[in-house]
């Protein structure tokens, strides 16, 4: 996967803990971690960063916000890949 949208207030488990576990798992197994974007009613950017979440957005999200968010990340990846291939 290239992108994971994660509600941080999941029933039975903290989305923060899940993100942290996922990033550590990817690191431990040599896998590339997908971009993790948290969706929460109370965004805390410092806490998101602490648990390996790449971006945090407030609820509710609308279609336009999701499309903009996804296109920003994929455009960022394309730009980074293009810069690597030029060097």
């Amino acid at each position: 996967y290239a992108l994971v949208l994660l509600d941080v207030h999941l029933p039975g488990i903290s989305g923060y803990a899940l993100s942290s576990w996922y990033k550590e798992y990817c690191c431990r197994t040599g896998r590339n971690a997908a971009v993790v974007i948290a969706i929460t009613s109370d965004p805390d950017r410092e806490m998101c960063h602490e648990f390996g979440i790449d971006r945090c957005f407030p609820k509710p999200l609308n279609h336009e916000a999701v499309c903009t968010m996804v296109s920003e990340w994929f455009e960022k990846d394309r730009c980074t890949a293009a810069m690597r291939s030029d060097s």
Side-chain angles (χ1 to χ4, degrees):
Y1 300 100
L3 177 71
V4 174
L5 294 176
L6 176 65
D7 188 329
V8 296
H9 301 291
L10 297 168
I13 186 169
S14 161
Y16 293 112
L18 181 60
S19 175
S20 182
W21 172 86
Y22 169 71
K23 294 286 183 143
E24 289 173 15
Y25 171 80
C26 289
C27 186
R28 214 175 39 249
T29 60
R31 299 171 193 252
N32 290 330
V35 172
V36 176
I37 298 177
I39 302 164
T40 179
S41 56
D42 184 24
D44 181 342
R45 294 184 195 285
E46 287 182 33
M47 193 163 179
C48 285
H49 180 72
E50 183 179 322
F51 285 94
I53 295 170
D54 299 294
R55 190 88 187 263
C56 192
F57 284 92
K59 288 180 182 177
L61 283 180
N62 60 34
H63 183 263
E64 183 179 331
V66 171
C67 288
T68 299
M69 168 181 36
V70 170
S71 67
E72 284 175 4
W73 277 102
F74 285 106
E75 187 61 33
K76 179 180 174 182
D77 288 345
R78 282 192 206 110
C79 290
T80 303
M83 288 171 58
R84 285 187 196 137
S85 66
D86 288 343
S87 39

